[in-house]
Amino acid sequence: MIYRESAKLFNCDYDPINKDVRITFLSELRTAAKQKKAIDSRHTFLCGCCKRPLKIAGGNEGGKKCFHFMHIEIPPKGDCDYYEKVSFTKEEIKAMIFNGRTESLQHKRTKEIISNALKQEPSIKNVEIEKVAKHVGKTWRRPDIRANFEDKTVVFEVQLSSIFHHVILERNDAYRDNGWYICWIFDDVNENNPKMRELDAWVNNNYNLFGFDDKAEEATAKSGRLHLTVKYYVFKVIEEGLNSRLGGTWQTETVQFSELTFDSNKMMVYLHDSGTEKQKCESRIQSIKKSINERQKVIDFIHNIPCWAFPSEMFERVLKHINQIDEEDVDLLFTSIIDNLRSLEADAINKWLKVVCEIVKSKGIEAQVAKYVWNEVIDTFERDKRKIDYLTLKDFCIVCGPCNYGRVLNLLITPFDDETSTFLQSIKVENKDFVDYAPLLILNRYFKDKRCIPERVAQFFSEKANQIKCLISAQQGKPFGYKYKDLKSVANLVCNSYHDIALLFLYLIDRNGYASELSKVKKNYGKKPVNHYHRLMEVAKNAEQQPVYLTMEELDIMFPKNKAKPHQ
């Protein structure tokens, strides 16, 4: 048993936004506590004295909704100190309520208007008033109105006076178990202070309440078709961190009966699916609180770097919450990483380097610290001949720029992946670093075709950035990355300094039709005429023993025959 103080449980002195939600909760609790299964199994509220089941009763006191506990059954005299001292049975109370009264004129009139309107509905047949229906549940029932709507049977209960809570629950269960839909119809509902009977019907019908008020009656008279005023609750989340909670507002619409939704799973008729909406809001609240709790775990973790290993689960959690780490925590994090860099395990270094890069990418702060950590890791891993995991070429380029990629390319386990490839494709000619990115753009073209980067190819691109610019020049027929006047100057550079690519350069010149341009000899007074093409051929022939970095097939992939520019 859990001790519950009724004063705290039922306190509804909340601000207007929370009042309705609190009443919703208590009304749901009222229904749950009154379920027969709960009472029979005693999984409900019990009296602290006599241990008998309690129900939640309600009423209005001073214009405010008041809930309180009451015994369900009358205990023997003197058996309970907390018994309410009211010794009337349900039948006696019912007799006092109605005091021998017959059905009111208003009740009869409302039934008559609704039944006449239903008869005008083309999809409704067999409208019956006060007709006994046998074998509904364990007994017979006499609904106010019963009608067949398309392939469904709908029962209308017009309720303009007080009714026991258990009666609403029993009729709901009986009709729904029988495969019939039930619509409780009240008069003019005041959502600011609904009656208990209205709340009982509301929480048990997807938070939709039907009324036949003046507006509904006027719309019905005008169209000849049944209209109902539907009051439903629109739930929303009030996001305030760990204090996030359920809120919402009442909405009112007067609609034609045929516009309502008949939910065969819930066996309910409604206009707005408030129940599903409420579930989504509650899931959202749980998600917010879970996220905040996870963030706090992340903050606690990064505040104690020397004391922790870096398990993969926490690594993913830190990356997930990068955007929620404030600048003060970032400063502490970077200081701790630098202080402990040389004592961390290689796997932890890898992971913290990824975290540092992600912070720079997402927040744009402390790039200098990130570059320092990168360089320290590169030095360490080059010396120990280890590979950098978890990071890609994209991380390096965003943090350190494209100029020094050569040092890191061979150290990365996966220098290229789809994320890196997409990033490189976003580099445009007008980008200030386009010339520096050009070798990587060409290498990306090879990756997209072969889905891998061989060590031999990666080594060539790591060490031969200037030579690659010469090959780009041979591809497009003019100097690229050099402040030369023409292609002859680039050919001269290859002949003088880059013998190892002479054969590749010559292949692109021949394939792209620039041989004649390099063969032109211009006589200058006092200078020996030079045929740059013939000179290239000689250098290429003498350099045949040089290492083969790229095959001609690979060259054709990187420099397509259609003369596409490197950035295309």
Side-chain angles (χ1 to χ4, degrees):
M1 293 180 64
I2 303 172
Y3 175 66
R4 304 290 291 270
E5 291 185 60
S6 59
K8 290 184 179 180
L9 178 65
F10 296 130
N11 180 20
C12 284
D13 291 332
Y14 288 82
D15 60 82
I17 292 178
N18 291 320
K19 182 190 72 172
D20 291 331
V21 175
R22 184 67 176 170
I23 290 176
T24 300
F25 165 72
L26 294 175
S27 298
E28 291 170 343
L29 204 60
R30 171 174 156 89
T31 293
K34 198 65 186 293
Q35 296 291 341
K36 188 175 186 304
K37 290 181 180 178
I39 295 171
D40 291 345
S41 63
R42 298 172 69 81
H43 289 159
T44 186
F45 295 104
L46 302 176
C47 174
C49 179
C50 67
K51 307 299 184 291
R52 287 183 172 81
L54 301 174
K55 64 181 178 180
I56 297 176
N60 291 306
E61 185 175 305
K64 186 174 67 174
K65 190 67 59 187
C66 294
F67 291 86
H68 54 275
F69 285 121
M70 287 184 66
H71 287 77
I72 292 178
E73 302 294 341
I74 301 173
K77 188 174 181 180
D79 204 33
C80 182
D81 295 336
Y82 301 126
Y83 180 58
E84 297 82 2
K85 309 300 181 184
V86 178
S87 57
F88 299 114
T89 65
K90 292 176 184 176
E91 289 72 20
E92 290 172 329
I93 294 173
K94 187 174 181 180
M96 285 187 287
I97 290 174
F98 292 101
N99 196 23
R101 287 180 296 167
T102 58
E103 185 179 31
S104 70
L105 293 177
Q106 180 62 28
H107 189 268
K108 287 182 177 180
R109 180 175 176 275
T110 302
K111 284 197 301 182
E112 184 178 350
I113 294 174
I114 291 175
S115 61
N116 288 338
L118 288 173
K119 292 175 182 177
Q120 303 305 313
E121 293 282 347
S123 301
I124 288 185
K125 299 177 180 178
N126 303 327
V127 178
E128 298 172 326
I129 302 175
E130 297 281 359
K131 184 173 181 179
V132 173
K134 297 181 180 180
H135 308 300
V136 178
K138 297 180 179 180
T139 183
W140 57 270
R141 302 281 172 177
R142 190 171 66 184
D144 286 339
I145 302 170
R146 183 176 52 165
N148 294 328
F149 180 57
E150 295 177 344
D151 58 342
K152 301 171 280 290
T153 298
V154 186
V155 166
F156 297 85
E157 291 285 2
V158 178
Q159 198 63 45
L160 307 183
S161 58
S162 300
I163 187 173
F164 283 111
H165 181 209
H166 74 88
V167 174
I168 291 178
L169 299 182
E170 287 173 358
R171 292 187 189 177
N172 282 347
D173 291 342
Y175 288 129
R176 288 168 181 168
D177 291 345
N178 204 46
W180 294 359
Y181 295 85
I182 181 170
C183 294
W184 290 93
I185 298 178
F186 301 89
D187 47 9
D188 192 4
V189 177
N190 178 9
E191 63 268 27
N192 293 321
N193 189 26
K195 299 179 176 65
M196 287 304 301
R197 62 175 181 268
E198 295 165 349
L199 288 174
D200 292 335
W202 174 64
V203 296
N204 287 284
N205 192 57
N206 207 17
Y207 310 97
N208 281 235
L209 193 60
F210 301 131
F212 194 70
D213 56 7
D214 293 342
K215 190 173 181 179
E217 185 176 346
E218 182 181 345
T220 300
K222 186 175 180 180
S223 65
R225 308 281 289 277
L226 177 61
H227 283 68
L228 296 175
T229 295
V230 186
K231 293 182 184 287
Y232 57 88
Y233 206 70
V234 177
F235 289 95
K236 68 177 182 179
V237 177
I238 302 173
E239 295 194 17
E240 293 183 2
L242 287 174
N243 291 322
S244 295
R245 57 198 183 278
L246 204 60
T249 54
W250 284 91
Q251 297 289 332
T252 303
E253 292 185 47
T254 299
V255 299
Q256 192 170 303
F257 175 74
S258 58
E259 296 177 26
L260 300 177
T261 297
F262 288 80
D263 191 327
S264 59
N265 293 321
K266 300 177 182 178
M267 285 307 297
M268 294 181 185
V269 186
Y270 54 82
L271 178 63
H272 182 75
D273 192 358
S274 300
T276 300
E277 186 176 67
K278 180 171 180 279
Q279 290 175 357
K280 289 180 180 179
C281 288
E282 289 171 339
S283 297
R284 171 64 181 154
I285 291 170
Q286 291 177 359
S287 176
I288 291 172
K289 293 183 178 181
K290 180 181 178 182
S291 178
I292 292 173
N293 289 328
E294 285 186 355
R295 176 190 177 277
Q296 190 57 49
K297 290 179 183 178
V298 168
I299 299 302
D300 293 343
F301 179 80
I302 67 176
H303 281 199
N304 296 277
I305 287 178
C307 306
W308 296 84
F310 207 164
S312 296
E313 179 184 352
M314 182 55 75
F315 176 55
E316 295 298 328
R317 198 178 283 177
V318 171
L319 292 181
K320 180 180 177 183
H321 293 278
I322 284 289
N323 289 323
Q324 298 176 7
I325 302 175
D326 58 32
E327 290 193 24
E328 184 178 342
D329 294 322
V330 169
D331 290 340
L332 178 63
L333 171 63
F334 285 170
T335 301
S336 298
I337 290 175
I338 291 173
D339 290 346
N340 295 279
L341 195 59
R342 303 205 178 273
S343 63
L344 292 171
E345 293 286 335
D347 180 69
I349 292 175
N350 268 296
K351 289 173 178 174
W352 282 121
L353 182 54
K354 176 67 173 177
V355 170
V356 169
C357 288
E358 288 300 317
I359 288 175
V360 174
K361 286 193 291 183
S362 65
K363 294 180 175 291
I365 58 175
E366 300 292 357
Q368 288 304 119
V369 175
K371 289 179 182 178
Y372 172 82
V373 177
W374 256 113
N375 288 326
E376 288 293 307
V377 172
I378 290 172
D379 289 341
T380 303
F381 280 59
E382 278 181 335
R383 184 177 63 248
D384 299 339
K385 295 182 179 181
R386 289 183 296 190
K387 291 282 187 179
I388 299 174
D389 201 359
Y390 306 111
L391 291 107
T392 67
L393 200 58
K394 176 187 176 184
D395 299 303
F396 177 85
C397 288
I398 289 179
V399 174
C400 301
C403 300
N404 299 317
Y405 74 88
R407 284 195 69 198
V408 75
L409 192 60
N410 287 322
L411 288 175
L412 294 171
I413 288 181
T414 54
F416 273 82
D417 58 3
D418 288 334
E419 185 182 15
T420 300
S421 181
T422 302
F423 164 71
L424 289 173
Q425 286 178 277
S426 70
I427 307 298
K428 305 299 180 184
V429 176
E430 59 269 18
N431 188 294
K432 64 182 180 67
D433 298 323
F434 174 74
V435 171
D436 296 318
Y437 276 114
L440 296 179
L441 291 166
I442 293 171
L443 191 59
N444 184 43
R445 186 180 291 145
Y446 182 83
F447 168 76
K448 288 172 64 181
D449 187 88
K450 296 295 186 180
R451 302 306 298 175
C452 68
I453 303 292
E455 190 75 21
R456 164 180 53 82
V457 176
Q459 182 180 353
F460 177 69
F461 275 78
S462 297
E463 301 172 355
K464 311 290 183 181
N466 290 329
Q467 290 91 321
I468 293 168
K469 292 175 184 176
C470 293
L471 295 179
I472 297 173
S473 301
Q475 171 72 0
Q476 65 182 21
K478 59 182 180 180
F480 180 85
Y482 295 105
K483 295 181 180 179
Y484 294 139
K485 292 182 179 180
D486 52 30
L487 194 58
K488 290 180 180 180
S489 300
V490 181
N492 197 49
L493 179 65
V494 173
C495 293
N496 292 335
S497 304
Y498 304 137
H499 296 179
D500 53 344
I501 66 161
L503 187 61
L504 300 175
F505 186 86
L506 189 63
Y507 174 78
L508 292 176
I509 291 293
D510 286 337
R511 195 198 68 187
N512 295 328
Y514 301 130
S516 59
E517 182 180 337
L518 294 183
S519 298
K520 292 177 183 178
V521 177
K522 183 179 180 180
K523 295 181 180 181
N524 292 322
Y525 181 75
K527 292 184 179 181
K528 182 180 179 180
V530 178
N531 186 321
H532 289 85
Y533 183 76
H534 287 168
R535 190 178 175 209
L536 268 174
M537 291 182 66
E538 291 176 7
V539 172
K541 184 176 181 180
N542 294 332
E544 287 182 352
Q545 301 305 315
Q546 292 281 349
V548 178
Y549 297 105
L550 301 177
T551 66
M552 295 308 171
E553 178 188 359
E554 291 168 339
L555 201 65
D556 283 335
I557 293 172
M558 296 178 182
F559 300 93
K561 292 181 182 180
N562 62 1
K563 299 183 183 181
K565 292 182 180 180
H567 67 281
Q568 291 180 331

